[in-house]
């Protein structure tokens, strides 16, 4: 049996912010009968993760290519791989049977053949939480926040923590983990609505709208009169410079993303090297994939926080594959509030 | 009894490379009779350390001020404190008696009253090595190299190590420690003479003159076709960017100095943040003072290396306090080869 499989692909490589016309929806056919002995797992995709880092794979050239599979340049015309949640519709793999729900590396498409089953992160054993949570708060976004904050930023109770893109998929979780760790926590975001959300719903001690602030160094100083111990960086650029200027001695900066630089390489951060030396600052880039040994701990801890209402979930779900190009492009305008997800609608 | 005490002081704060006219030699008198109960130790200064970082203390303003005593802005007209070696001429301190030789925080002057004895790092018990070694190779320069390489860069056998200002007081030691740790070691310096010295005398695997290289990224790539694991940074600026571009995954950058930025803040490094993330690079500023618990281990190890001829010493000694302004200014032209020291001549 074959199905029509619609997918989102890249029409041309880009060098700036993406526009919807850089992407197109195409259709192919997919056999729902896995080859015997292949170990393949064929899933019907339900929720797709929409992430800013994907834009780096769409560029003509990136210096960071080939350091890991998900920094490699995307080919044109093919389905774009992405994390998501799917339901197994056919399996040649002893580990998975029809009807299983899985969190996996799938694609911006309606169906994915997960070759050999290797792209499956885990089976979703319980439907206690909405399935979309396994893309965001219990997926790689949440895990990136968890691992980066815990193992790169190394928080201590009372630390002063600054988070950029604090209402985003990762930032919103970092801020909440920081509060749970007993840290003074300030976030920045790009609208009043987001700032209110951070303070009123997510429990940040303070938050500010960076678009209202012409002098970021002074702004950050205002919110951290006693300096920053931990900066969880999702934006790079000028905000990273402002953070370095306000770090305390032995401060830690976990560099998770650099969204302000992704689409404009002229915005590259040039923090004060002397401050890095004299304040003994550590700036560390990381990928959540390096901390997979603590994935089950993350799931356990975060599930408990969710059950006890100690973590609030920010999701921003668009419906249907055809909404995906606009959802993706909107990330770079700050349209999303929380984790951007596309729910695939199957007839 | 009183002596005339000549000292070097700052005439005016500066914002660029220093010139000799920014410094002046003045004379005061110093009592050689320490106050009873003061714990003071009065030393006749023999060798004075001349270090690039001092220029940061001479500026009108530095963002890094007040994070540690030796980043604080220097007052005008007073003796400038600096490391060195002296001979005790009078003491109210039970720990030190007349004739003792000490490595201590003294000053760019002929005599120093070390108040309460607190500025003494250690007594020099043996004259096995030239006294000047206790300013450089067995002093804070050597210790900075030792601690930074060991504890910040965390070398493993076979690591590929890049060192900037490799013929300087710290760089020349880092390169030799790296070779002793079994690392492939490349240094850069600012003249053919220095490059030859690195390869022929200090045992670097390769070295290059950065002044001959218009495209540092390509140059570094030529010397590290398989990438850099450790970059020991003494210069900041463009060289730091070139290193980041050529780092391997999980590469470590120890930021010890940023001499290219000290006197020209427009040269600030803007390394590729995306490369830092995807390659999981750690950039860590450090001060040797944070690792004092391993100071005696450093002295033991390095003394042994010296005895066995496994470390070569590069010293550049000027004679007389009046040579100090020119010696200091020359650091920023790259005049010195190895540790710059002024030997104080007493009548």
């Amino acid at each position: 049996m074959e199905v029509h499989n619609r997918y989102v692909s890249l029409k041309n490589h880009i060098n700036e912010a993406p526009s919807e016309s850089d992407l197109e929806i195409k259709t192919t056919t997919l056999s729902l009968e896995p080859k015997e002995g292949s170990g393949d797992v064929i899933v019907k995709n339900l929720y797709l993760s929409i992430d800013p880092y994907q834009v780096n794979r769409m560029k003509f050239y990136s210096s960071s290519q080939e350091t890991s599979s998900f920094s490699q340049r995307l080919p044109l015309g093919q389905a774009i791989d992405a994390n998501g949640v799917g339901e197994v519709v056919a399996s040649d793999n002893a580990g998975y049977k029809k009807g299983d729900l899985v969190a996996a590396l799938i694609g911006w498409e309606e169906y994915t053949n997960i070759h050999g089953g290797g792209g499956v992160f885990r089976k979703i054993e319980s439907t206690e939480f909405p399935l979309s949570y396994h893309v965001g708060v219990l997926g790689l976004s949440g895990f990136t926040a968890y691992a980066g904050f815990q193992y790169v930023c190394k928080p201590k109770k009372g630390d002063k923590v600054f988070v950029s893109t604090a209402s985003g998929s990762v930032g919103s979780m970092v801020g909440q983990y920081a509060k749970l760790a007993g840290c003074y926590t300030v976030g920045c975001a790009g609208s009043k609505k987001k700032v209110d959300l951070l303070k009123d719903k997510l429990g940040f001690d303070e938050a500010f709208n960076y678009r209202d602030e012409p002098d970021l160094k002074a702004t950050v100083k205002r919110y951290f009169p006693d300096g920053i111990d931990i900066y969880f960086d999702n934006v790079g650029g000028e905000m990273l410079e402002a953070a370095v200027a306000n770090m305390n001695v032995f401060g830690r900066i976990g560099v998770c993303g650099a969204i302000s630089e992704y689409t404009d390489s002229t915005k590259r951060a040039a923090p004060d090297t002397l401050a890095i030396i004299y304040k003994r600052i550590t700036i560390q880039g990381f990928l959540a994939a390096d901390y997979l040994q603590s994935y089950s701990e993350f799931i356990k801890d975060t599930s408990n926080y969710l059950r006890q209402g100690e973590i609030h979930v920010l999701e921003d779900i668009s419906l249907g594959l055809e909404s995906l190009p606009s959802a993706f492009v909107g990330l770079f305008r700050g349209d999303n509030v929380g984790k951007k997800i596309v729910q695939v609608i199957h007839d």
Side-chain angles (χ1 to χ4, degrees), chain A:
Chain A
M1 190 198 155
E2 276 192 341
V3 286
H4 288 286
N5 188 22
R6 291 195 304 156
Y7 64 96
V8 177
S9 76
L10 190 61
K11 243 160 91 180
N12 45 263
H13 290 112
I14 58 174
N15 254 342
E16 326 180 310
S19 67
E20 290 186 42
S21 61
D22 297 321
L23 299 169
E24 62 182 333
I25 295 181
K26 298 174 83 171
T27 304
T28 183
T29 55
L30 182 77
S31 162
L32 295 189
E33 286 150 36
K35 242 186 245 165
E36 239 183 275
S38 65
D40 288 358
V41 179
I42 300 173
V43 298
K44 182 166 82 170
N45 298 334
L46 304 177
Y47 293 93
L48 304 177
S49 184
I50 313 297
D51 294 297
Y53 79 84
Q54 294 276 41
V55 81
N56 297 312
R57 306 186 58 194
M58 299 179 182
K59 291 180 187 167
F60 281 101
Y61 172 77
S62 158
S63 66
S64 48
Q65 275 163 38
E66 291 168 38
T67 63
S68 76
S69 63
F70 57 100
S71 67
Q72 275 161 26
R73 197 159 71 116
L74 288 168
L76 302 180
Q78 302 183 14
I80 294 169
D81 47 312
N83 297 315
V85 166
E87 181 187 339
V88 176
V89 291
S91 171
D92 179 64
N93 192 305
Y96 309 99
K97 61 175 194 302
K98 195 174 164 178
D100 279 353
L101 294 166
V102 293
L105 181 63
I106 48 181
W108 283 352
E109 56 189 344
E110 295 177 309
Y111 291 87
T112 300
N113 182 342
I114 306 173
H115 294 290
V120 180
F121 303 133
R122 62 192 181 92
K123 226 188 276 190
I124 300 169
E125 307 278 6
S126 145
T127 51
E128 177 184 9
F129 302 115
L131 277 183
S132 58
Y133 280 24
H134 300 281
V135 180
V137 65
L138 291 170
L140 276 188
S141 304
F143 184 54
T144 299
Y146 183 89
F149 185 62
Q150 214 59 42
Y151 300 114
V152 179
C153 299
K154 301 184 182 80
K156 295 185 307 292
K157 199 178 162 177
D159 274 351
K160 289 159 198 79
V161 175
F162 179 42
V163 188
S164 55
T165 66
S167 74
S169 59
V170 176
S172 61
M173 292 294 289
V174 171
Q176 295 184 89
Y177 287 129
K179 284 307 301 172
L180 287 164
C183 300
Y184 172 78
T185 306
V186 177
C188 68
S191 73
K192 184 178 183 309
K193 180 183 152 198
K194 291 177 180 176
V195 165
D196 290 344
L197 204 59
L198 293 176
K199 292 196 284 190
D200 301 340
K201 186 166 173 187
L202 301 191
F204 281 65
D205 294 292
E206 289 289 349
F208 65 88
N209 178 355
Y210 69 88
R211 295 185 207 257
D212 289 346
E213 303 290 345
D215 181 347
L216 288 178
K217 265 179 212 170
T219 303
V220 173
K221 195 176 181 60
R222 206 164 72 231
Y223 286 96
F224 291 96
D226 300 320
I228 302 170
D229 299 302
I230 290 173
Y231 173 46
F232 193 102
D233 187 16
N234 291 304
V235 302
E238 208 187 335
M239 196 68 84
L240 177 52
E241 297 173 12
V244 165
N246 286 285
M247 292 303 282
N248 285 331
V249 291
F250 301 113
R252 286 89 66 204
I253 299 180
V255 189
C256 175
I259 194 169
S260 78
E261 302 183 25
Y262 290 171
T263 56
D264 184 352
S265 63
T266 66
K267 292 206 168 159
R268 214 172 259 181
D272 183 353
T273 310
L274 255 188
I276 293 171
I277 299 170
Y278 281 126
K279 299 198 284 191
R280 292 86 114 192
I281 295 170
T282 300
I283 300 177
Q284 187 176 347
F286 73 95
L287 297 176
D290 298 326
Y291 300 91
L292 286 178
Q293 74 281 2
S294 42
Y295 194 75
S296 57
E297 180 193 291
F298 151 71
I299 294 287
K300 202 184 98 216
D301 287 358
T302 306
S303 298
N304 278 335
Y305 288 140
L306 287 168
R307 281 179 202 117
Q308 290 155 16
E310 293 185 305
I311 277 187
H312 294 88
V313 178
L314 289 189
E315 286 181 335
D316 188 331
I317 302 182
S318 300
L319 296 183
L321 199 73
E322 58 281 5
S323 73
L324 198 152
S326 141
F328 179 65
V329 168
L331 288 177
F332 301 92
R333 291 187 303 248
D335 289 355
N336 60 308
V337 179
K339 177 68 190 176
K340 188 68 208 177
I341 293 169
V342 166
Q343 180 173 3
V344 184
I345 307 297
H346 291 272
D347 304 324

